[in-house]
Amino acid sequence: MTQHHPDRTTGEPAHWWRDAVVYQVYVRSFADSDGDGIGDLPGITSRLPYLRDLGVDALWLTPFYTSPQHDHGYDVADYRDVDPLFGTLADADELVARTHELGLRLIVDVVPNHTSNEHAWFRAALEAGPGSPERARYLFRDGRGADGSEPPNNWQSVFGGPAWTRVEDGPGEAGQWYLHLFDSTQPDLDWRNPEVGDLFEDVLRFWLERGVDGFRVDVAHGLLKEEGLRDQVRGDEAGDAPHAMVERVVQDEPMWDQPEVHEVYRRWHKVLADYPGDRMSVAEAWTRGTPGALARYVRDDEMSQAFNFAWLLAPWSAGAFAEVITTTFASLEDVDAIPTWVLSNHDVVRHTTRYGGGPQGLARARAATLTMLALPGASYLYQGEELGLEQVDVEPAFRQDPSWFRTGEPGRDGCRVPIPWSGSEAPFGFGPGTDQPWIPQPATWSPLSVAAQTRTAGSTLELYRSALATRRTFAHTAGDHVEMLDLGEDVLAFHRGPLTVALNCGTAPVPVPAGEVIASSGDLPGGVLPPDTAVWLR
Ligand code: BGC
């Protein structure tokens, strides 16, 4: 099929999402309309002009559905309603309408691997007891050992500790166990039960009818588990990867990336195709096999895109970046899909901090972003990265990440601090309240606010704005072919159509390649490309 190819006659892409820049909104930390210190849907609606002016094509909202918020909405109690914390269904409709009026698209999150333990289905499952059809929607099993007091298998939760919790099957009577690959408040659904597939088809249709343009699919590689739920054979730990999703992963993975999961996305592909307007889906799939494993999620009859976490996981090294680019394109060749690129999201340490923090971390983050934005395909940005925000060291008393409670490790709250809009003290225009928001913002954020950086020469916000504007001049027409250039082992360099891109990952300046400079992540004094700097030339 040729559906992924751009229309070469008009220069318009065949699909709007093909080379879109998508801005991730972490709903509770973007903008607060009612002063309770927590972001909400009307807050986002009021700030949409900011996103239009930034120059992105779409926004992706993290879950805003009814939820007890044990994992900030990734524990959904009702998939077809809005949590009162964030607003109402009418607010969601208003947000969709306003997004479209401004020429933007809206992607929402869908969380199909697990529900909240407060979902009506899970409550009914507890009520109904072993062997019931209600329990058969989840993965309840008897325990091991003479009295069933050992978990049914050795699987660990991504958030730490065992992936099983035991329930009472009568007052004071220890009963079965249920599987939760994440927190104990997030019971995993049994996707081999047809009722589960039917529920999610209805959920997709509910939001498609309300006008959303696509779905970000949470834990897309987790829905089906290997039948029999056998023990995992433990191999070497994954090393010091910067992400909880991969830190605890071992080699043998009967809980992830099972072949049957693709049937789900074939069905969803057909559901999306029932609606006009080129609706899309993007997989969050932390596959760890060959790059081909990820490519399977974007076959023609499955999802539109999958997050390319290899780019985010690459260390600061020209060779490592080049390797990711090359293997990404090679892995997608057979499936005729287009890549995505991402450096930050709500689950990982912000890339300014990953690259060392301080002025050097910021310089590197700006350079990596500029490089990413030149690559063919879609780029995903995470709120606050356009301000150059760093990971915050959140005081333990304010931490809310379930992985903190399960492991005592700092967790992900530090990249989820509400963003600064204006003013010299907290809450920096985040909302009408005068107090600190749900996680305190550092006092040092005043010069990083949107207002402080707007029209400030050299600011990170102005870099993003101008890079996104310049990207529009070539994104549809520069083609998909990337030709790697050899400018020495410390420099990542490539041609893409008329564009030349160079990123200096070394410690010494290098000559700027030939051409007219159309963007750079920092100054180019005397015609050289300093360390930690990227440039686009034509
Ligand atoms: C989301 C996380 C969430 C987890 C469980 C992830 O992949 O991005 O924020 O905690 O799924 O739903």
Side-chain angles (χ1 to χ4, degrees):
M1 272 177 79
T2 53
Q3 63 154 354
H4 298 290
H5 289 305
D7 178 341
R8 305 283 179 199
T9 50
T10 62
E12 286 299 309
H15 295 285
W16 67 265
W17 38 264
R18 192 181 189 284
D19 48 31
V21 176
V22 184
Y23 182 99
Q24 181 191 352
V25 171
Y26 194 68
V27 174
R28 62 166 48 226
S29 299
F30 188 66
D32 171 23
S33 73
D34 57 10
D36 65 356
I38 297 177
D40 47 42
L41 300 187
I44 299 167
T45 304
S46 73
R47 295 291 189 182
L48 287 172
Y50 167 75
L51 297 179
R52 179 204 48 201
D53 297 344
L54 180 60
V56 301
D57 301 289
L59 47 154
W60 147 35
L61 304 186
T62 53
F64 49 82
Y65 318 111
T66 313
S67 161
Q69 300 292 316
H70 291 297
D71 188 20
H72 289 172
Y74 284 98
D75 48 327
V76 182
D78 183 350
Y79 291 87
R80 298 186 194 87
D81 207 350
V82 174
D83 196 283
L85 199 56
F86 303 127
T88 62
L89 274 177
D91 292 329
D93 291 342
E94 170 68 17
L95 174 52
V96 173
R98 189 78 186 118
T99 303
H100 291 159
E101 272 166 34
L102 295 182
L104 299 167
R105 313 271 185 158
L106 187 73
I107 298 170
V108 297
D109 228 298
V110 59
V111 188
N113 180 66
H114 43 265
T115 68
S116 159
N117 61 342
E118 294 189 17
H119 191 281
W121 273 12
F122 194 72
R123 291 173 188 270
L126 291 183
E127 253 332 85
S132 61
E134 287 84 354
R135 286 220 172 165
R137 294 164 174 154
Y138 294 90
L139 291 158
F140 279 89
R141 294 291 183 272
D142 293 334
R144 294 199 283 205
D147 53 359
S149 63
E150 299 291 319
N153 70 24
N154 69 351
W155 296 2
Q156 293 288 299
S157 155
V158 172
F159 293 159
W164 295 91
T165 290
R166 195 170 196 187
V167 301
E168 290 190 347
D169 282 340
E173 202 186 304
Q176 287 192 301
W177 299 72
Y178 66 90
L179 178 72
H180 51 88
L181 292 180
F182 294 88
D183 190 47
S184 57
T185 61
Q186 295 166 298
D188 279 50
L189 288 160
D190 185 354
W191 271 86
R192 295 181 194 275
N193 180 335
E195 275 190 85
V196 174
D198 292 346
L199 169 73
F200 279 91
E201 176 163 343
D202 287 352
V203 168
L204 296 184
R205 290 190 187 278
F206 179 87
W207 290 102
L208 288 165
E209 272 151 33
R210 300 193 100 87
V212 305
D213 299 287
F215 298 97
R216 177 266 188 188
V217 182
D218 190 61
V219 196
H221 58 317
L223 277 47
L224 274 296
K225 284 78 182 166
E226 192 179 303
E227 222 154 4
L229 307 183
R230 66 172 172 84
D231 273 346
Q232 178 181 40
V233 180
R234 298 198 188 279
D236 295 336
E237 293 293 333
D240 58 350
H243 187 281
M245 297 293 170
V246 288
E247 267 166 13
R248 280 181 278 275
V249 163
V250 289
Q251 306 300 322
D252 174 54
E253 301 185 325
M255 68 290 280
W256 304 122
D257 200 25
Q258 299 299 305
E260 301 95 312
V261 79
H262 297 285
E263 289 306 322
V264 175
Y265 304 124
R266 292 197 181 100
R267 177 172 179 183
W268 290 16
H269 184 98
K270 290 189 193 130
V271 172
L272 266 63
D274 279 349
Y275 294 81
D278 198 10
R279 316 292 174 106
M280 59 81 77
S281 57
V282 52
E284 185 222 20
W286 292 90
T287 53
R288 285 183 21 91
T290 58
L294 190 60
R296 286 199 285 275
Y297 290 78
V298 292
R299 288 178 285 199
D300 268 355
D301 58 348
E302 296 194 36
M303 296 215 225
S304 319
Q305 299 176 333
F307 292 128
N308 183 7
F309 292 124
W311 181 248
L312 170 159
L313 294 168
W316 183 257
S317 140
F321 286 132
E323 169 81 15
V324 173
I325 293 173
T326 311
T327 51
T328 296
F329 283 102
S331 72
L332 292 175
E333 243 162 41
D334 291 346
V335 294
D336 191 24
I338 189 79
T340 66
W341 309 97
V342 61
L343 287 165
S344 278
N345 67 32
H346 67 294
D347 290 326
V348 300
V349 172
R350 283 188 177 278
H351 63 288
T352 41
T353 306
R354 286 206 315 273
Y355 295 145
Q360 185 179 48
L362 180 60
R364 289 180 169 185
R366 291 164 53 118
T369 300
L370 196 73
T371 306
M372 169 175 92
L373 289 173
L375 287 163
S379 278
Y380 282 78
L381 307 179
Y382 177 52
Q383 68 178 39
E385 67 168 80
E386 78 280 22
L387 305 176
L389 299 185
E390 287 200 31
Q391 191 79 358
V392 175
D393 186 11
V394 176
E395 293 217 11
F398 291 99
R399 290 183 193 157
Q400 299 198 13
D401 184 343
S403 75
W404 154 249
F405 296 113
R406 290 180 69 88
T407 64
E409 292 165 20
R412 300 163 294 173
D413 295 305
C415 63
R416 300 173 174 182
V417 177
I419 62 171
W421 291 92
S422 59
S424 56
E425 55 190 46
F428 296 114
F430 172 64
T434 49
D435 295 338
Q436 284 279 13
W438 67 277
I439 298 185
Q441 299 159 308
T444 51
W445 273 8
S446 172
L448 297 179
S449 75
V450 170
Q453 295 197 45
T454 297
R455 286 184 290 280
T456 300
S459 73
T460 301
L461 180 56
E462 291 302 339
L463 170 69
Y464 272 68
R465 283 183 178 148
S466 65
L468 291 172
T470 306
R471 176 185 159 97
R472 283 182 190 279
T473 66
F474 63 76
H476 297 339
T477 51
D480 299 337
H481 183 64
V482 168
E483 184 196 337
M484 303 308 288
L485 303 175
D486 184 3
L487 299 186
E489 62 173 8
D490 289 333
V491 183
L492 171 75
F494 58 86
H495 283 316
R496 175 186 170 198
L499 206 66
T500 303
V501 178
L503 164 68
N504 185 355
C505 295
T507 50
V510 297
V512 175
E516 176 205 349
V517 173
I518 56 169
S520 69
S521 67
D523 291 337
L524 305 174
V528 298
L529 182 64
D532 306 325
T533 308
V535 65
W536 294 350
L537 307 112
R538 234 192 232 280

